[in-house]
Amino acid sequence: MPRARRPAAVLQALALLCVALLPLSALAQAAGTAPDRPRVGLVLGGGGALGAAHVGVIQVLERLGVPIDMVAGTSMGALVGGLYATGRDGDDLATVLQSVDWGDAFRDSPPRNDQPFHRKREDLDFLVDTRLGVREDGTLGAPLGFVQGQRINLILKRLTLAAADIDDFDALPRPFRAVAVDVETGRPAVLGSGSLPVAMRASMSVPGVFPPVELNGRWLLDGGVVNNVPVDVVRRMGADRVIVVNLPTKLRDRDAMTTPLDVLGQMVSVAIEQNTQAQLGLLRPGDILIEPDLGDMGPADFDRVSEAVALGARAAADQTAALRRLADSLDRPDGSARPAPTPAPAPAPATAAAPPDDTAPPAGAVVVTDMRVDGDGTLGDRVILGYIHQRLGAPLDLDQLERDLATLYGLDLFERVDWTLERAADGRTGTLVIIVRARSWGTDSLQFGLRLTDDFQGNAAYGLSAAYTLRPLNTLGGSLRLAAEIGNRPSVSARLVQPLESDQDWILTADLRAERSVRRLFTETRGRAPGAYDLSLASGEAMLGRVLGDWGAVSAGLRLATGWVEPQFPGGDTGSTRLLAAEAFGRLAVDTFDSVTWPRHGSLGTLEVTESLPALGADARYRQVDLDAWTALSWGPHTMLPHVTASYTLDGEAPIQALFPLGGFLALSGYAENRFLGQNRVLGGLTYMHRLTDLSFSPLDVPLYAGASVEAGNVWDARTPWPDDLRYSGTLFVGADTTLGPAYLGVGLASLDRQAVFLRLGRPF
């Protein structure tokens, strides 16, 4: 009997051994064992807009049936490679790159007509847009890049949404690595896990243009200076054959380097070329190098991405024979035909708690059941969520969310505004988390401005201004701006802007101002003889406003003023005269201009009604209405700006400080600024502007314009709806949108025999 049981015991042992080995076999299969052919890695080099050529290469690889098992890229190569790794094919990549608004991608601020209305009003002064930050310790700070990358971050997040729940880049349809450089150590940083869009963004953070990306305690920048063509990286990933797409570096001769920035750029190019050649030296027989000839294209030519795609496809097509040999060499070891490759499937976002027989929906289909803020206390959570218009119980509205985040970023308080989605256990619902981080260089700011108008005939107006803004004063986002100007209209002022509730719909504004100016009367007004008068005025204003979305506001308030007026001409009254004013006013303001320097779309207007209040001490009784409106209409490089002003003193006689001025650029351009004063004013004008330079995606772009205007108007004192006659004027000008603000040089025409050359620096609106 024992001898008879021995075969059964052997069979039992063999069965137990098989059972023990089964998990190991399954584990090997789950880990993704190497295919039964050589593995092919794709290396995509950096090069800015030139990197669109990678897409054309990928299209040809797919047509020739060359399988790609893994991807490594640097800079723009990381962007294209990261998108390719998520399962997109070449045609889809081409569509994506051509559909991105690259001009918008490289500008942080949202479109101006999407900014909060009370924030827009700060643009209507002579301060330049550039702000120096002031940290809590009082030191000055500035961002570490011309572009903070707010918009490009959201674009990359949208484009990689299918892989939002994958944090191991080996788990992507195509394993992927992005290469950056650690700013503090100078060593390459090979990114293979974490957030895919953050890794792509770090790899393409060009020094000076973008600030470093902080990731796992490291500061990371564009990896091009240390490993622009990461052949060694894809080798370590397990590639047996390598296809490299290198975008050759263009070194310039000495005659082409005329500035220190040119020399610095050349040295960066030298570093990139040296590490590129070292990487290309690692290529082996059977590897393929593709170097597209991109002609005169440069790294900033994002408006030519379609051309780069085509040139990349041509360069790959020129290597058809080598690519076919590579494809043929990938036949199975047993001699059977190589299977035709299929595009990698797009990943399905994973969730551990999802039902085993169901697939969790992509992030865009998740129903948002709650929202919260991951912030640092800069603003109250309710204020931040007040800018988010996502409906609870509805799927994530990504378009609306991105617009809301752009508006929130436009408050000029945050360095980063982002979002994430925390899925619930069912995988189909979740909490939308809004992530905000205050500006590391300080939320308080210091600005400077310059105002200059000169007709070279003794009529000059100038001013140098500075403003210090404390913001936020509280979790509702209040701000206090202290400003001063020196020049021919010296002044000091303080403005408090305080939202009254978290929805930011009701805003209290308080102004204090002291200024000195010269006003010229050309007709007798309230017993004052014609001539120049020195006006010193101190005023205060309190106003309660109701915001009407991001396009306008209606408000009402009280204005008090006191001062002195003194004649500045021979024969004038001696000594100064005291002025007292008290006014109630109501105002409707509309502002949808896309720019207050060179607008192309939108409107800008104000309608104000003022009532003098003798009961509060005013020394004159009068009622006024003042309308000023602009609109911009554009097509191609052309812009037309119709403009109308109508101002009337309806009752009584306004004192000198309340008279309506006329004269200056686009307001009878052939006359000096504020040349005329009157109880009533009308003006109509039409301005044409033509952009002379092509749209550039560089943050250092300085647009140039040429333009002309025709204007008609006048001031008068009689209580009639129209003056007895009109003055006609116009101008021919050229202009530039400089870092100091818009600058104009032109000829103002008041009549056929009256012309004046003028120079102006400062906004015209």
Side-chain angles (χ1 to χ4, degrees), residues 20 35 63 73 108 113 120 160 246 262 277 393 398 415 450 561 588 611 670 707 716 734 754 762-763:
R63 286 198 295 269
D108 290 318
N113 54 1
K120 291 182 187 180
T160 59
N246 176 43
D262 291 336
Q277 293 305 317
L398 191 55
E415 181 173 354
L450 182 62
L588 171 65
E611 177 81 29
W716 73 102
V734 293
R754 179 184 173 89
R763 298 183 176 112

mmCIF file with all atom_site columns, all heavy atoms in Angstrom, residues 20 35 63 73 108 113 120 160 246 262 277 393 398 415 450 561 588 611 670 707 716 734 754 762-763:
data_model
loop_
_atom_site.group_PDB
_atom_site.id
_atom_site.type_symbol
_atom_site.label_atom_id
_atom_site.label_alt_id
_atom_site.label_comp_id
_atom_site.label_asym_id
_atom_site.label_entity_id
_atom_site.label_seq_id
_atom_site.pdbx_PDB_ins_code
_atom_site.Cartn_x
_atom_site.Cartn_y
_atom_site.Cartn_z
_atom_site.occupancy
_atom_site.B_iso_or_equiv
_atom_site.pdbx_formal_charge
_atom_site.auth_seq_id
_atom_site.auth_comp_id
_atom_site.auth_asym_id
_atom_site.auth_atom_id
_atom_site.pdbx_PDB_model_num
ATOM 1   N N   . ALA A 1 20  ? 2.002   27.431  -6.169  1.00 0.00 ? 20  ALA A N   1
ATOM 2   C CA  . ALA A 1 20  ? 2.935   28.413  -5.605  1.00 0.00 ? 20  ALA A CA  1
ATOM 3   C C   . ALA A 1 20  ? 3.536   29.301  -6.674  1.00 0.00 ? 20  ALA A C   1
ATOM 4   O O   . ALA A 1 20  ? 3.823   30.474  -6.451  1.00 0.00 ? 20  ALA A O   1
ATOM 5   C CB  . ALA A 1 20  ? 4.049   27.686  -4.836  1.00 0.00 ? 20  ALA A CB  1
ATOM 6   N N   . PRO A 1 35  ? 8.282   42.993  -24.188 1.00 0.00 ? 35  PRO A N   1
ATOM 7   C CA  . PRO A 1 35  ? 7.691   42.299  -25.316 1.00 0.00 ? 35  PRO A CA  1
ATOM 8   C C   . PRO A 1 35  ? 8.724   41.377  -25.959 1.00 0.00 ? 35  PRO A C   1
ATOM 9   O O   . PRO A 1 35  ? 9.936   41.539  -25.776 1.00 0.00 ? 35  PRO A O   1
ATOM 10  C CB  . PRO A 1 35  ? 7.283   43.444  -26.244 1.00 0.00 ? 35  PRO A CB  1
ATOM 11  C CG  . PRO A 1 35  ? 8.180   44.579  -25.885 1.00 0.00 ? 35  PRO A CG  1
ATOM 12  C CD  . PRO A 1 35  ? 8.422   44.440  -24.416 1.00 0.00 ? 35  PRO A CD  1
ATOM 13  N N   . ARG A 1 63  ? 2.528   56.012  -39.405 1.00 0.00 ? 63  ARG A N   1
ATOM 14  C CA  . ARG A 1 63  ? 2.172   55.542  -40.749 1.00 0.00 ? 63  ARG A CA  1
ATOM 15  C C   . ARG A 1 63  ? 3.050   54.377  -41.191 1.00 0.00 ? 63  ARG A C   1
ATOM 16  O O   . ARG A 1 63  ? 2.607   53.499  -41.926 1.00 0.00 ? 63  ARG A O   1
ATOM 17  C CB  . ARG A 1 63  ? 2.298   56.700  -41.752 1.00 0.00 ? 63  ARG A CB  1
ATOM 18  C CG  . ARG A 1 63  ? 1.177   57.721  -41.651 1.00 0.00 ? 63  ARG A CG  1
ATOM 19  C CD  . ARG A 1 63  ? 1.093   58.576  -42.899 1.00 0.00 ? 63  ARG A CD  1
ATOM 20  N NE  . ARG A 1 63  ? 2.269   59.413  -43.082 1.00 0.00 ? 63  ARG A NE  1
ATOM 21  C CZ  . ARG A 1 63  ? 2.379   60.647  -42.612 1.00 0.00 ? 63  ARG A CZ  1
ATOM 22  N NH1 . ARG A 1 63  ? 1.387   61.179  -41.910 1.00 0.00 ? 63  ARG A NH1 1
ATOM 23  N NH2 . ARG A 1 63  ? 3.471   61.359  -42.836 1.00 0.00 ? 63  ARG A NH2 1
ATOM 24  N N   . GLY A 1 73  ? 11.681  63.160  -22.847 1.00 0.00 ? 73  GLY A N   1
ATOM 25  C CA  . GLY A 1 73  ? 11.786  64.453  -23.506 1.00 0.00 ? 73  GLY A CA  1
ATOM 26  C C   . GLY A 1 73  ? 12.242  65.544  -22.577 1.00 0.00 ? 73  GLY A C   1
ATOM 27  O O   . GLY A 1 73  ? 12.148  65.440  -21.350 1.00 0.00 ? 73  GLY A O   1
ATOM 28  N N   . ASP A 1 108 ? 0.078   85.736  -18.205 1.00 0.00 ? 108 ASP A N   1
ATOM 29  C CA  . ASP A 1 108 ? -0.536  85.287  -16.957 1.00 0.00 ? 108 ASP A CA  1
ATOM 30  C C   . ASP A 1 108 ? -1.910  85.900  -16.720 1.00 0.00 ? 108 ASP A C   1
ATOM 31  O O   . ASP A 1 108 ? -2.849  85.226  -16.329 1.00 0.00 ? 108 ASP A O   1
ATOM 32  C CB  . ASP A 1 108 ? 0.365   85.625  -15.765 1.00 0.00 ? 108 ASP A CB  1
ATOM 33  C CG  . ASP A 1 108 ? 1.626   84.790  -15.750 1.00 0.00 ? 108 ASP A CG  1
ATOM 34  O OD1 . ASP A 1 108 ? 1.535   83.593  -16.024 1.00 0.00 ? 108 ASP A OD1 1
ATOM 35  O OD2 . ASP A 1 108 ? 2.698   85.346  -15.476 1.00 0.00 ? 108 ASP A OD2 1
ATOM 36  N N   . ASN A 1 113 ? -11.194 92.168  -19.861 1.00 0.00 ? 113 ASN A N   1
ATOM 37  C CA  . ASN A 1 113 ? -12.635 92.269  -19.646 1.00 0.00 ? 113 ASN A CA  1
ATOM 38  C C   . ASN A 1 113 ? -13.172 91.149  -18.769 1.00 0.00 ? 113 ASN A C   1
ATOM 39  O O   . ASN A 1 113 ? -14.358 91.138  -18.447 1.00 0.00 ? 113 ASN A O   1
ATOM 40  C CB  . ASN A 1 113 ? -13.387 92.306  -20.981 1.00 0.00 ? 113 ASN A CB  1
ATOM 41  C CG  . ASN A 1 113 ? -13.025 91.139  -21.876 1.00 0.00 ? 113 ASN A CG  1
ATOM 42  O OD1 . ASN A 1 113 ? -12.233 90.286  -21.500 1.00 0.00 ? 113 ASN A OD1 1
ATOM 43  N ND2 . ASN A 1 113 ? -13.599 91.100  -23.063 1.00 0.00 ? 113 ASN A ND2 1
ATOM 44  N N   . LYS A 1 120 ? -10.072 96.598  -12.368 1.00 0.00 ? 120 LYS A N   1
ATOM 45  C CA  . LYS A 1 120 ? -9.843  97.305  -13.631 1.00 0.00 ? 120 LYS A CA  1
ATOM 46  C C   . LYS A 1 120 ? -9.629  98.797  -13.417 1.00 0.00 ? 120 LYS A C   1
ATOM 47  O O   . LYS A 1 120 ? -8.870  99.436  -14.150 1.00 0.00 ? 120 LYS A O   1
ATOM 48  C CB  . LYS A 1 120 ? -11.047 97.130  -14.557 1.00 0.00 ? 120 LYS A CB  1
ATOM 49  C CG  . LYS A 1 120 ? -11.269 95.755  -15.109 1.00 0.00 ? 120 LYS A CG  1
ATOM 50  C CD  . LYS A 1 120 ? -12.489 95.810  -16.031 1.00 0.00 ? 120 LYS A CD  1
ATOM 51  C CE  . LYS A 1 120 ? -12.891 94.449  -16.513 1.00 0.00 ? 120 LYS A CE  1
ATOM 52  N NZ  . LYS A 1 120 ? -14.075 94.515  -17.405 1.00 0.00 ? 120 LYS A NZ  1
ATOM 53  N N   . THR A 1 160 ? -3.862  66.936  -20.153 1.00 0.00 ? 160 THR A N   1
ATOM 54  C CA  . THR A 1 160 ? -3.490  65.645  -19.557 1.00 0.00 ? 160 THR A CA  1
ATOM 55  C C   . THR A 1 160 ? -4.564  65.127  -18.619 1.00 0.00 ? 160 THR A C   1
ATOM 56  O O   . THR A 1 160 ? -4.295  64.296  -17.754 1.00 0.00 ? 160 THR A O   1
ATOM 57  C CB  . THR A 1 160 ? -2.160  65.779  -18.793 1.00 0.00 ? 160 THR A CB  1
ATOM 58  O OG1 . THR A 1 160 ? -2.297  66.775  -17.771 1.00 0.00 ? 160 THR A OG1 1
ATOM 59  C CG2 . THR A 1 160 ? -1.024  66.182  -19.722 1.00 0.00 ? 160 THR A CG2 1
ATOM 60  N N   . ASN A 1 246 ? 16.301  65.498  -32.800 1.00 0.00 ? 246 ASN A N   1
ATOM 61  C CA  . ASN A 1 246 ? 17.116  66.598  -32.297 1.00 0.00 ? 246 ASN A CA  1
ATOM 62  C C   . ASN A 1 246 ? 16.829  67.844  -33.119 1.00 0.00 ? 246 ASN A C   1
ATOM 63  O O   . ASN A 1 246 ? 16.827  67.811  -34.348 1.00 0.00 ? 246 ASN A O   1
ATOM 64  C CB  . ASN A 1 246 ? 18.607  66.246  -32.385 1.00 0.00 ? 246 ASN A CB  1
ATOM 65  C CG  . ASN A 1 246 ? 19.485  67.413  -31.946 1.00 0.00 ? 246 ASN A CG  1
ATOM 66  O OD1 . ASN A 1 246 ? 19.199  68.082  -30.954 1.00 0.00 ? 246 ASN A OD1 1
ATOM 67  N ND2 . ASN A 1 246 ? 20.550  67.672  -32.703 1.00 0.00 ? 246 ASN A ND2 1
ATOM 68  N N   . ASP A 1 262 ? 22.238  89.065  -26.104 1.00 0.00 ? 262 ASP A N   1
ATOM 69  C CA  . ASP A 1 262 ? 22.607  88.196  -27.220 1.00 0.00 ? 262 ASP A CA  1
ATOM 70  C C   . ASP A 1 262 ? 23.769  87.283  -26.828 1.00 0.00 ? 262 ASP A C   1
ATOM 71  O O   . ASP A 1 262 ? 23.770  86.087  -27.143 1.00 0.00 ? 262 ASP A O   1
ATOM 72  C CB  . ASP A 1 262 ? 23.012  89.034  -28.439 1.00 0.00 ? 262 ASP A CB  1
ATOM 73  C CG  . ASP A 1 262 ? 21.840  89.775  -29.045 1.00 0.00 ? 262 ASP A CG  1
ATOM 74  O OD1 . ASP A 1 262 ? 20.695  89.322  -28.840 1.00 0.00 ? 262 ASP A OD1 1
ATOM 75  O OD2 . ASP A 1 262 ? 22.069  90.809  -29.694 1.00 0.00 ? 262 ASP A OD2 1
ATOM 76  N N   . GLN A 1 277 ? 25.580  67.021  -28.044 1.00 0.00 ? 277 GLN A N   1
ATOM 77  C CA  . GLN A 1 277 ? 26.561  66.192  -28.758 1.00 0.00 ? 277 GLN A CA  1
ATOM 78  C C   . GLN A 1 277 ? 27.026  65.020  -27.893 1.00 0.00 ? 277 GLN A C   1
ATOM 79  O O   . GLN A 1 277 ? 27.266  63.918  -28.411 1.00 0.00 ? 277 GLN A O   1
ATOM 80  C CB  . GLN A 1 277 ? 27.756  67.047  -29.193 1.00 0.00 ? 277 GLN A CB  1
ATOM 81  C CG  . GLN A 1 277 ? 27.415  68.094  -30.252 1.00 0.00 ? 277 GLN A CG  1
ATOM 82  C CD  . GLN A 1 277 ? 26.769  67.474  -31.482 1.00 0.00 ? 277 GLN A CD  1
ATOM 83  O OE1 . GLN A 1 277 ? 27.204  66.414  -31.975 1.00 0.00 ? 277 GLN A OE1 1
ATOM 84  N NE2 . GLN A 1 277 ? 25.728  68.124  -32.005 1.00 0.00 ? 277 GLN A NE2 1
ATOM 85  N N   . GLY A 1 393 ? -23.806 69.421  -7.743  1.00 0.00 ? 393 GLY A N   1
ATOM 86  C CA  . GLY A 1 393 ? -24.718 68.440  -8.301  1.00 0.00 ? 393 GLY A CA  1
ATOM 87  C C   . GLY A 1 393 ? -24.646 68.322  -9.804  1.00 0.00 ? 393 GLY A C   1
ATOM 88  O O   . GLY A 1 393 ? -25.412 67.567  -10.411 1.00 0.00 ? 393 GLY A O   1
ATOM 89  N N   . LEU A 1 398 ? -15.320 72.524  -16.921 1.00 0.00 ? 398 LEU A N   1
ATOM 90  C CA  . LEU A 1 398 ? -13.917 72.910  -16.956 1.00 0.00 ? 398 LEU A CA  1
ATOM 91  C C   . LEU A 1 398 ? -13.727 74.278  -17.611 1.00 0.00 ? 398 LEU A C   1
ATOM 92  O O   . LEU A 1 398 ? -12.882 75.070  -17.175 1.00 0.00 ? 398 LEU A O   1
ATOM 93  C CB  . LEU A 1 398 ? -13.101 71.852  -17.699 1.00 0.00 ? 398 LEU A CB  1
ATOM 94  C CG  . LEU A 1 398 ? -11.584 71.969  -17.612 1.00 0.00 ? 398 LEU A CG  1
ATOM 95  C CD1 . LEU A 1 398 ? -11.117 72.013  -16.174 1.00 0.00 ? 398 LEU A CD1 1
ATOM 96  C CD2 . LEU A 1 398 ? -10.909 70.812  -18.354 1.00 0.00 ? 398 LEU A CD2 1
ATOM 97  N N   . GLU A 1 415 ? 0.313   83.935  -6.486  1.00 0.00 ? 415 GLU A N   1
ATOM 98  C CA  . GLU A 1 415 ? 1.346   83.412  -7.369  1.00 0.00 ? 415 GLU A CA  1
ATOM 99  C C   . GLU A 1 415 ? 0.835   82.194  -8.129  1.00 0.00 ? 415 GLU A C   1
ATOM 100 O O   . GLU A 1 415 ? 1.237   81.934  -9.263  1.00 0.00 ? 415 GLU A O   1
ATOM 101 C CB  . GLU A 1 415 ? 2.574   83.037  -6.536  1.00 0.00 ? 415 GLU A CB  1
ATOM 102 C CG  . GLU A 1 415 ? 3.743   82.507  -7.321  1.00 0.00 ? 415 GLU A CG  1
ATOM 103 C CD  . GLU A 1 415 ? 4.969   82.309  -6.446  1.00 0.00 ? 415 GLU A CD  1
ATOM 104 O OE1 . GLU A 1 415 ? 4.938   82.696  -5.262  1.00 0.00 ? 415 GLU A OE1 1
ATOM 105 O OE2 . GLU A 1 415 ? 5.962   81.768  -6.950  1.00 0.00 ? 415 GLU A OE2 1
ATOM 106 N N   . LEU A 1 450 ? 4.905   107.663 -15.241 1.00 0.00 ? 450 LEU A N   1
ATOM 107 C CA  . LEU A 1 450 ? 5.430   108.865 -15.873 1.00 0.00 ? 450 LEU A CA  1
ATOM 108 C C   . LEU A 1 450 ? 4.379   109.411 -16.822 1.00 0.00 ? 450 LEU A C   1
ATOM 109 O O   . LEU A 1 450 ? 3.806   108.663 -17.621 1.00 0.00 ? 450 LEU A O   1
ATOM 110 C CB  . LEU A 1 450 ? 6.717   108.545 -16.631 1.00 0.00 ? 450 LEU A CB  1
ATOM 111 C CG  . LEU A 1 450 ? 7.430   109.722 -17.317 1.00 0.00 ? 450 LEU A CG  1
ATOM 112 C CD1 . LEU A 1 450 ? 7.866   110.755 -16.274 1.00 0.00 ? 450 LEU A CD1 1
ATOM 113 C CD2 . LEU A 1 450 ? 8.639   109.209 -18.092 1.00 0.00 ? 450 LEU A CD2 1
ATOM 114 N N   . ALA A 1 561 ? -14.852 119.491 -0.736  1.00 0.00 ? 561 ALA A N   1
ATOM 115 C CA  . ALA A 1 561 ? -13.563 120.051 -1.131  1.00 0.00 ? 561 ALA A CA  1
ATOM 116 C C   . ALA A 1 561 ? -13.429 121.465 -0.588  1.00 0.00 ? 561 ALA A C   1
ATOM 117 O O   . ALA A 1 561 ? -14.419 122.194 -0.412  1.00 0.00 ? 561 ALA A O   1
ATOM 118 C CB  . ALA A 1 561 ? -13.428 120.053 -2.655  1.00 0.00 ? 561 ALA A CB  1
ATOM 119 N N   . LEU A 1 588 ? -22.580 105.826 -13.272 1.00 0.00 ? 588 LEU A N   1
ATOM 120 C CA  . LEU A 1 588 ? -22.619 104.528 -13.949 1.00 0.00 ? 588 LEU A CA  1
ATOM 121 C C   . LEU A 1 588 ? -21.339 104.406 -14.751 1.00 0.00 ? 588 LEU A C   1
ATOM 122 O O   . LEU A 1 588 ? -21.043 105.260 -15.592 1.00 0.00 ? 588 LEU A O   1
ATOM 123 C CB  . LEU A 1 588 ? -23.833 104.425 -14.877 1.00 0.00 ? 588 LEU A CB  1
ATOM 124 C CG  . LEU A 1 588 ? -23.864 103.194 -15.791 1.00 0.00 ? 588 LEU A CG  1
ATOM 125 C CD1 . LEU A 1 588 ? -23.982 101.915 -14.964 1.00 0.00 ? 588 LEU A CD1 1
ATOM 126 C CD2 . LEU A 1 588 ? -25.001 103.298 -16.807 1.00 0.00 ? 588 LEU A CD2 1
ATOM 127 N N   . GLU A 1 611 ? -24.772 117.075 -8.146  1.00 0.00 ? 611 GLU A N   1
ATOM 128 C CA  . GLU A 1 611 ? -25.641 118.115 -7.562  1.00 0.00 ? 611 GLU A CA  1
ATOM 129 C C   . GLU A 1 611 ? -24.883 118.818 -6.444  1.00 0.00 ? 611 GLU A C   1
ATOM 130 O O   . GLU A 1 611 ? -24.449 118.190 -5.472  1.00 0.00 ? 611 GLU A O   1
ATOM 131 C CB  . GLU A 1 611 ? -26.911 117.489 -7.010  1.00 0.00 ? 611 GLU A CB  1
ATOM 132 C CG  . GLU A 1 611 ? -27.847 118.455 -6.319  1.00 0.00 ? 611 GLU A CG  1
ATOM 133 C CD  . GLU A 1 611 ? -28.714 119.242 -7.303  1.00 0.00 ? 611 GLU A CD  1
ATOM 134 O OE1 . GLU A 1 611 ? -29.003 118.698 -8.391  1.00 0.00 ? 611 GLU A OE1 1
ATOM 135 O OE2 . GLU A 1 611 ? -29.084 120.392 -6.993  1.00 0.00 ? 611 GLU A OE2 1
ATOM 136 N N   . GLY A 1 670 ? -4.855  119.333 -31.805 1.00 0.00 ? 670 GLY A N   1
ATOM 137 C CA  . GLY A 1 670 ? -4.026  120.446 -32.247 1.00 0.00 ? 670 GLY A CA  1
ATOM 138 C C   . GLY A 1 670 ? -3.860  121.532 -31.213 1.00 0.00 ? 670 GLY A C   1
ATOM 139 O O   . GLY A 1 670 ? -3.156  122.513 -31.463 1.00 0.00 ? 670 GLY A O   1
ATOM 140 N N   . GLY A 1 707 ? -1.291  105.759 -36.526 1.00 0.00 ? 707 GLY A N   1
ATOM 141 C CA  . GLY A 1 707 ? -2.698  106.082 -36.458 1.00 0.00 ? 707 GLY A CA  1
ATOM 142 C C   . GLY A 1 707 ? -2.991  107.510 -36.851 1.00 0.00 ? 707 GLY A C   1
ATOM 143 O O   . GLY A 1 707 ? -2.092  108.320 -37.118 1.00 0.00 ? 707 GLY A O   1
ATOM 144 N N   . TRP A 1 716 ? -18.549 125.993 -24.155 1.00 0.00 ? 716 TRP A N   1
ATOM 145 C CA  . TRP A 1 716 ? -19.300 127.253 -24.182 1.00 0.00 ? 716 TRP A CA  1
ATOM 146 C C   . TRP A 1 716 ? -20.002 127.435 -22.843 1.00 0.00 ? 716 TRP A C   1
ATOM 147 O O   . TRP A 1 716 ? -20.128 126.485 -22.075 1.00 0.00 ? 716 TRP A O   1
ATOM 148 C CB  . TRP A 1 716 ? -20.276 127.273 -25.356 1.00 0.00 ? 716 TRP A CB  1
ATOM 149 C CG  . TRP A 1 716 ? -21.481 126.386 -25.207 1.00 0.00 ? 716 TRP A CG  1
ATOM 150 C CD1 . TRP A 1 716 ? -22.751 126.753 -24.882 1.00 0.00 ? 716 TRP A CD1 1
ATOM 151 C CD2 . TRP A 1 716 ? -21.540 124.968 -25.398 1.00 0.00 ? 716 TRP A CD2 1
ATOM 152 N NE1 . TRP A 1 716 ? -23.601 125.676 -24.839 1.00 0.00 ? 716 TRP A NE1 1
ATOM 153 C CE2 . TRP A 1 716 ? -22.868 124.566 -25.173 1.00 0.00 ? 716 TRP A CE2 1
ATOM 154 C CE3 . TRP A 1 716 ? -20.596 123.985 -25.736 1.00 0.00 ? 716 TRP A CE3 1
ATOM 155 C CZ2 . TRP A 1 716 ? -23.278 123.243 -25.250 1.00 0.00 ? 716 TRP A CZ2 1
ATOM 156 C CZ3 . TRP A 1 716 ? -21.001 122.671 -25.830 1.00 0.00 ? 716 TRP A CZ3 1
ATOM 157 C CH2 . TRP A 1 716 ? -22.333 122.307 -25.588 1.00 0.00 ? 716 TRP A CH2 1
ATOM 158 N N   . VAL A 1 734 ? 2.555   108.036 -34.487 1.00 0.00 ? 734 VAL A N   1
ATOM 159 C CA  . VAL A 1 734 ? 3.084   106.681 -34.333 1.00 0.00 ? 734 VAL A CA  1
ATOM 160 C C   . VAL A 1 734 ? 3.203   106.440 -32.838 1.00 0.00 ? 734 VAL A C   1
ATOM 161 O O   . VAL A 1 734 ? 3.351   107.383 -32.048 1.00 0.00 ? 734 VAL A O   1
ATOM 162 C CB  . VAL A 1 734 ? 4.451   106.499 -35.035 1.00 0.00 ? 734 VAL A CB  1
ATOM 163 C CG1 . VAL A 1 734 ? 4.306   106.602 -36.538 1.00 0.00 ? 734 VAL A CG1 1
ATOM 164 C CG2 . VAL A 1 734 ? 5.470   107.513 -34.516 1.00 0.00 ? 734 VAL A CG2 1
ATOM 165 N N   . ARG A 1 754 ? -2.152  125.816 -38.710 1.00 0.00 ? 754 ARG A N   1
ATOM 166 C CA  . ARG A 1 754 ? -1.765  125.640 -37.311 1.00 0.00 ? 754 ARG A CA  1
ATOM 167 C C   . ARG A 1 754 ? -1.470  124.168 -37.054 1.00 0.00 ? 754 ARG A C   1
ATOM 168 O O   . ARG A 1 754 ? -2.385  123.342 -37.006 1.00 0.00 ? 754 ARG A O   1
ATOM 169 C CB  . ARG A 1 754 ? -2.872  126.118 -36.372 1.00 0.00 ? 754 ARG A CB  1
ATOM 170 C CG  . ARG A 1 754 ? -2.548  125.937 -34.891 1.00 0.00 ? 754 ARG A CG  1
ATOM 171 C CD  . ARG A 1 754 ? -3.726  126.344 -34.029 1.00 0.00 ? 754 ARG A CD  1
ATOM 172 N NE  . ARG A 1 754 ? -3.492  126.021 -32.635 1.00 0.00 ? 754 ARG A NE  1
ATOM 173 C CZ  . ARG A 1 754 ? -2.895  126.841 -31.771 1.00 0.00 ? 754 ARG A CZ  1
ATOM 174 N NH1 . ARG A 1 754 ? -2.490  128.030 -32.172 1.00 0.00 ? 754 ARG A NH1 1
ATOM 175 N NH2 . ARG A 1 754 ? -2.723  126.484 -30.509 1.00 0.00 ? 754 ARG A NH2 1
ATOM 176 N N   . GLY A 1 762 ? 1.891   108.237 -21.727 1.00 0.00 ? 762 GLY A N   1
ATOM 177 C CA  . GLY A 1 762 ? 0.786   108.041 -20.785 1.00 0.00 ? 762 GLY A CA  1
ATOM 178 C C   . GLY A 1 762 ? -0.472  107.630 -21.514 1.00 0.00 ? 762 GLY A C   1
ATOM 179 O O   . GLY A 1 762 ? -0.625  107.850 -22.706 1.00 0.00 ? 762 GLY A O   1
ATOM 180 N N   . ARG A 1 763 ? -1.379  107.013 -20.784 1.00 0.00 ? 763 ARG A N   1
ATOM 181 C CA  . ARG A 1 763 ? -2.599  106.490 -21.382 1.00 0.00 ? 763 ARG A CA  1
ATOM 182 C C   . ARG A 1 763 ? -3.513  107.626 -21.826 1.00 0.00 ? 763 ARG A C   1
ATOM 183 O O   . ARG A 1 763 ? -3.631  108.637 -21.147 1.00 0.00 ? 763 ARG A O   1
ATOM 184 C CB  . ARG A 1 763 ? -3.320  105.585 -20.386 1.00 0.00 ? 763 ARG A CB  1
ATOM 185 C CG  . ARG A 1 763 ? -2.487  104.367 -20.004 1.00 0.00 ? 763 ARG A CG  1
ATOM 186 C CD  . ARG A 1 763 ? -3.250  103.430 -19.078 1.00 0.00 ? 763 ARG A CD  1
ATOM 187 N NE  . ARG A 1 763 ? -2.461  102.231 -18.811 1.00 0.00 ? 763 ARG A NE  1
ATOM 188 C CZ  . ARG A 1 763 ? -1.925  101.913 -17.643 1.00 0.00 ? 763 ARG A CZ  1
ATOM 189 N NH1 . ARG A 1 763 ? -2.102  102.722 -16.626 1.00 0.00 ? 763 ARG A NH1 1
ATOM 190 N NH2 . ARG A 1 763 ? -1.238  100.801 -17.493 1.00 0.00 ? 763 ARG A NH2 1
#
